[in-house]
Amino acid sequence: MKILLVEDNQGDARLLDIMLREVLTACTLTHADTLGKAISHACLMQFDIILLDLSLPDSQGTSTFWSLHDVVSDVPIVVMTGHDDEVLATELAQAGAQDYLVKGSVDGRWLLRVMRYAIERKRAELELRQSEAKVRALYEAVPDLLLFLDLEGRFLEYKPAKDFPTHIEPEHFLGKTIHEALPEGVADQAMLCLEKAVVGKGITSFEYQMALPQGVTNYESRFIRASEEQVLCIVRDISESKRTQQQLHFLAHYDTLTGLPNRLLFNESLRQAQTHANRTSDTIAVMFIDLDRFKNINDTLGHGVGDKLLQQVGSRISLCIRESDTVARMGGDEFAVVLVNVREERDAAVVAEKIIDALRLPFMVDGHEVFVGASIGITLYRPGQDDRDVLLEKADVAMYHAKERGRNNFQFYSSEMDAVAYERLVMENHLRHALDRNEFILYYQPQIAVEGGRVTAVETLLRWQHPERGLVAPGEFISLLEESGLIVPVGKWVLKTSCQQGRLWYDAGTPVRVAVNLSVRQFKHPGLVADVAEILAESGLPPELLELELTESMFMDSATGDVNKLTQLKALGVSLAIDDFGSGASSLAYLKDFPVDTLKICQSFVLNLPHNNDDSAIASAVLGLAQAMNFTSVAEGVENAQQADFLRERRCDYFQGFLFSKPLPVDELDLLLNGSKLQDS
């Protein structure tokens, strides 16, 4: 993303630079500290977005915006201002700026949302204006309806306009007065304009509607003194222009996908709710809603399904609130709600429970039954407390706390959460540098061949050796890697390092198959097949000693392109495994169509073996299916002899679990491969 930052305060500029580089992995930032330099840069380079401070050494206020806008009218501009100039910034956002920010009131994540929204809105606005320009050119090429009247308002002459409604004939006007030819309300306005034109007050005009056989039509009539005895009335059909204005208003205030208010209108609704609450001493509640598992649905079923799902989600949330409340789509899979006239905390909790229950029910989208949940953060506003941006930040913090509490729940904001949110931000920032600083390490958990009891395969597991916190478990950082997109470069490093280590074991005479997990984002990455081929070639690892593990949902929800990718991976000679098999709600009918080698039984079904009848039945069925279809079977989470005996009796091929070995660093695994005894004989 190419960004032009126009800011004369070096401290603010440095802060924005830091914030942008934290949330954007690839961006080019050009800085200008005067309007003149900004215009020069804008003329020489093409930018995706401009962040503009209104107060500069060579320009102040609205003229700053319009001077730059006139040079680059096709580039979205986000105005930056202080609290004192927020009203001015709001007016500019309504007039032509894509949005505005109050400096010091946003973080990097919020800034990124604003920029992405501004770019989307500008793109839609330009497309609509191009369409409007075509219509306007057509109108200018066709003469308007011309009517000449005497000074008392009687129609004298009629010049038709091409393609004007056919029922408007000369006899409808000629020889008649304004009050005889036009409806009463329209006639009164026309006479006022006529009288002003007669006394020489220039061009006077008014707009009106008329109910015609083909529907309601909008007109504009302009009156101008044509001569000593006559006044000219120019009548134009402005129905299309009105529709365009309405569309532009919609684009400025509503989300085009869901039809819900957008961020700009939500902020205005929240401001009005706060003003009313300050006047009446009422309490309002602000909710921030983020969908759970939406990214997985988007990645596996495609953006078309994801968009239709968001439309249904918006409709369900709308049904959970009153007409006096507001629900808006803030961007992506994020929604926000303002509840007015809240008497107590429980009132907001009831609405949050309704939303969670409504979204828990299945959605049918293009023949797919999909499930999502919602993590909701809530904060309350009482008169005289937080401003709008602080309210939204608190609701956002509470929402992330809800995600950390297991998702599909709601949490009210408390001051203690700020520390948690800060810690999460710090961890994400550290993660962005962990790969460059060689802080990631790999552990390997042995897979034991049931026949012979030898270690013939290992599963690669990622760990983070934090310089201050020590060894960090994957549960604390994998979700952050996924959300930030860092999982793709980190996943490639895991694959490369695993293959290099596998080659070392191969050269040492202790060859083992190395199993590497692929995330949804990795699998969807267009360069995956090429990366695997390149890594195998560079490392020299025989392809049959590499196994790629994908979750069951990734296999079963795969589109045609994904199935082709699986086939291409299999053609490289690697093995493909379905991880956590049995945990998904998929049709086994598709299993025969995939080039699968291994089924890994989900450890949740192994945990209670052999005492739980349901788990025993599922484990037995999976092992029977694997044998019938000639798949290799691996049982995860084997922790005691009873589990091992049950699985051995049902001809499971491999065991993996603490009964035999915990995940080990390379040096300890080397000892095991060279003859050290396993924990279970």
Side-chain angles (χ1 to χ4, degrees):
M1 183 182 296
K2 294 183 179 179
I3 305 167
L4 174 58
L5 172 61
V6 188
E7 172 62 72
D8 64 320
N9 186 299
Q10 295 301 317
D12 288 346
R14 282 195 299 273
L15 179 60
L16 285 166
D17 185 19
I18 293 171
M19 290 167 59
L20 287 168
R21 298 190 187 283
E22 286 178 347
V23 297
L24 282 173
T25 54
C27 76
T28 301
L29 183 66
T30 301
H31 179 217
D33 56 6
T34 66
L35 177 61
K37 291 179 182 178
I39 292 174
S40 177
H41 285 310
C43 291
L44 295 174
M45 299 175 61
Q46 180 65 41
F47 294 97
D48 296 305
I49 192 167
I50 298 174
L51 303 178
L52 174 65
D53 182 12
L54 291 178
S55 298
L56 298 170
D58 55 345
S59 183
Q60 298 287 320
T62 57
S63 62
T64 305
F65 170 79
W66 291 114
S67 297
L68 187 57
H69 178 272
D70 291 342
V71 176
V72 285
S73 59
D74 59 338
V75 179
I77 299 176
V78 174
V79 171
M80 300 185 301
T81 183
H83 286 282
D84 295 340
D85 295 328
E86 190 171 356
V87 173
L88 174 61
T90 303
E91 292 174 355
L92 285 174
Q94 298 284 351
Q98 264 48 63
D99 210 333
Y100 72 94
L101 294 170
V102 178
K103 290 190 287 186
S105 298
V106 296
D107 59 14
R109 187 172 64 248
W110 196 262
L111 175 60
L112 180 60
R113 289 180 188 147
V114 170
M115 291 196 302
R116 285 177 173 168
Y117 166 80
I119 292 171
E120 290 175 5
R121 179 183 164 198
K122 188 66 177 182
R123 184 183 299 116
E125 178 183 319
L126 289 174
E127 290 174 356
L128 186 59
R129 290 194 180 279
Q130 288 174 357
S131 175
E132 183 188 18
K134 294 178 182 178
V135 174
R136 188 165 55 249
L138 177 62
Y139 279 168
E140 292 171 353
V142 178
D144 298 318
L145 172 64
L146 302 181
L147 298 166
F148 290 89
L149 303 90
D150 63 21
L151 303 188
E152 283 73 41
R154 185 175 300 277
F155 292 99
L156 305 174
E157 187 178 343
Y158 172 99
K159 181 181 180 183
K162 185 179 179 181
D163 297 332
F164 230 74
T166 56
H167 70 280
I168 301 180
E169 301 295 341
E171 54 267 25
H172 183 80
F173 295 100
L174 293 178
K176 297 180 181 180
T177 65
I178 286 178
H179 280 285
E180 290 172 338
L182 300 175
E184 182 178 355
V186 176
D188 290 341
Q189 290 180 286
M191 283 302 300
L192 287 174
C193 288
L194 176 75
E195 291 167 0
K196 291 180 180 179
V198 168
V199 297
K201 292 190 176 181
I203 299 175
T204 59
S205 65
F206 72 100
E207 296 179 4
Y208 55 98
Q209 290 183 336
M210 293 188 67
L212 303 176
Q214 69 269 32
V216 176
T217 304
N218 290 278
Y219 293 103
E220 178 192 54
S221 289
R222 295 190 175 197
F223 291 79
I224 185 171
R225 186 74 176 263
S227 67
E228 290 293 327
E229 295 82 19
Q230 292 185 358
V231 172
L232 171 63
C233 175
I234 306 170
V235 182
R236 174 172 294 180
D237 185 339
I238 59 170
S239 300
E240 186 65 28
S241 177
K242 282 292 184 183
R243 282 191 288 270
T244 299
Q245 290 178 17
Q246 291 169 357
Q247 286 179 295
L248 287 172
H249 181 271
F250 182 85
L251 282 173
H253 297 88
Y254 291 88
D255 173 52
T256 54
L257 178 64
T258 63
L260 295 174
N262 60 16
R263 179 178 176 270
L264 193 64
L265 184 54
F266 178 83
N267 286 340
E268 178 60 23
S269 298
L270 179 55
R271 186 191 64 78
Q272 292 178 4
Q274 287 178 282
T275 300
H276 183 267
N278 292 338
R279 195 166 54 245
T280 61
S281 299
D282 289 335
T283 298
I284 62 177
V286 177
M287 294 182 174
F288 209 93
I289 305 169
D290 187 86
L291 300 185
D292 301 328
R293 299 184 296 277
F294 176 77
K295 286 184 175 62
N296 185 46
I297 293 170
N298 224 16
D299 290 340
T300 55
L301 298 181
H303 291 282
V305 170
D307 286 349
K308 292 177 182 178
L309 175 60
L310 289 174
Q311 291 172 340
Q312 293 189 32
V313 167
S315 297
R316 289 195 188 180
I317 296 176
S318 298
L319 292 174
C320 297
I321 65 173
R322 302 162 299 181
E323 286 189 14
S324 56
D325 302 324
T326 300
V327 57
R329 181 184 175 219
M330 305 298 277
D333 60 345
E334 297 172 336
F335 296 82
V337 173
V338 176
L339 303 177
V340 298
N341 300 323
V342 176
R343 291 169 299 187
E344 56 185 19
E345 187 176 281
R346 181 59 190 162
D347 293 341
V350 168
V351 176
E353 289 169 349
K354 287 174 62 178
I355 293 173
I356 289 173
D357 289 342
L359 299 183
R360 185 180 288 120
L361 300 174
F363 292 84
M364 289 302 301
V365 186
D366 288 351
H368 299 279
E369 186 180 54
V370 296
F371 295 83
V372 296
S375 297
I376 304 177
I378 311 172
T379 188
L380 299 180
Y381 172 80
R382 295 180 175 86
Q385 292 183 338
D386 306 312
D387 62 25
R388 184 187 64 248
D389 291 332
V390 172
L391 276 175
L392 290 171
E393 288 174 7
K394 287 183 175 181
D396 195 22
V397 167
M399 180 272 292
Y400 274 101
H401 193 66
K403 282 189 177 293
E404 292 172 354
R405 295 289 294 270
R407 303 175 183 263
N408 210 38
N409 71 96
F410 67 90
Q411 297 292 322
F412 282 90
Y413 170 82
S414 65
S415 56
E416 292 80 8
M417 291 180 183
D418 281 329
V420 175
Y422 178 75
E423 178 64 24
R424 180 185 179 89
L425 179 62
V426 170
M427 180 174 285
E428 184 174 335
N429 290 338
H430 286 174
L431 270 175
R432 294 187 179 278
H433 302 290
L435 190 59
D436 295 333
R437 295 171 179 170
N438 298 316
E439 293 174 1
F440 289 119
I441 58 175
L442 297 183
Y443 274 48
Y444 301 89
Q445 187 166 27
Q447 294 177 357
I448 312 303
V450 175
E451 293 295 330
R454 294 184 303 108
V455 178
T456 58
V458 294
E459 179 180 1
T460 300
L461 300 170
L462 180 64
R463 299 290 187 267
W464 180 18
Q465 188 66 51
H466 193 280
E468 298 172 1
R469 299 177 55 181
L471 197 62
V472 182
E476 296 185 50
F477 67 88
I478 291 295
S479 61
L480 279 175
L481 288 177
E482 289 277 5
E483 292 172 14
S484 63
L486 293 170
I487 194 68
V488 174
V490 172
K492 184 176 180 179
W493 175 86
V494 170
L495 184 63
K496 183 176 182 179
T497 305
S498 299
C499 288
Q500 291 172 342
Q501 182 58 51
R503 177 67 194 197
L504 292 175
W505 286 323
Y506 179 79
D507 291 340
T510 54
V512 291
R513 185 175 67 253
V514 181
V516 179
N517 290 280
L518 295 181
S519 72
V520 174
R521 284 202 174 192
Q522 277 181 280
F523 182 66
K524 292 290 182 180
H525 192 268
L528 174 65
V529 177
D531 286 345
V532 174
E534 180 183 346
I535 288 170
L536 284 172
E538 289 181 353
S539 66
L541 180 71
E544 62 271 17
L545 292 182
L546 174 63
E547 183 173 78
L548 301 177
E549 294 188 4
L550 299 96
T551 63
E552 183 178 8
S553 61
M554 290 165 64
F555 272 95
M556 300 310 174
D557 292 333
S558 290
T560 302
D562 296 335
V563 176
N564 292 337
K565 184 176 290 186
L566 291 171
T567 304
Q568 292 169 5
L569 288 171
K570 194 71 179 71
L572 296 176
V574 305
S575 301
L576 299 179
I578 301 181
D579 196 15
D580 293 336
F581 187 80
S583 60
S586 307
S587 171
L588 296 178
Y590 295 104
L591 196 56
K592 61 183 177 62
D593 297 325
F594 297 107
V596 177
D597 302 286
T598 303
L599 299 184
K600 298 190 71 175
I601 306 173
C602 183
Q603 61 181 343
S604 62
F605 300 125
V606 177
L607 179 64
N608 296 314
L609 294 179
H611 309 294
N612 184 287
N613 292 333
D614 291 337
D615 289 347
S616 297
I618 293 173
S620 298
V622 172
L623 290 171
L625 177 66
Q627 293 156 20
M629 300 188 73
N630 293 319
F631 294 148
T632 300
S633 56
V634 180
E636 298 181 288
V638 181
E639 297 182 353
N640 58 60
Q642 291 84 0
Q643 295 168 343
D645 291 341
F646 178 92
L647 295 164
R648 186 179 290 110
E649 290 172 3
R650 284 154 183 79
R651 297 166 57 195
C652 181
D653 296 314
Y654 289 90
F655 294 150
Q656 180 179 337
F658 280 25
L659 176 62
F660 305 98
S661 176
K662 64 182 181 180
L664 301 172
V666 171
D667 53 352
E668 293 184 31
L669 187 60
D670 285 340
L671 294 175
L672 189 62
L673 294 176
N674 287 293
S676 295
K677 289 187 176 293
L678 296 171
Q679 297 175 20
D680 181 71
S681 55

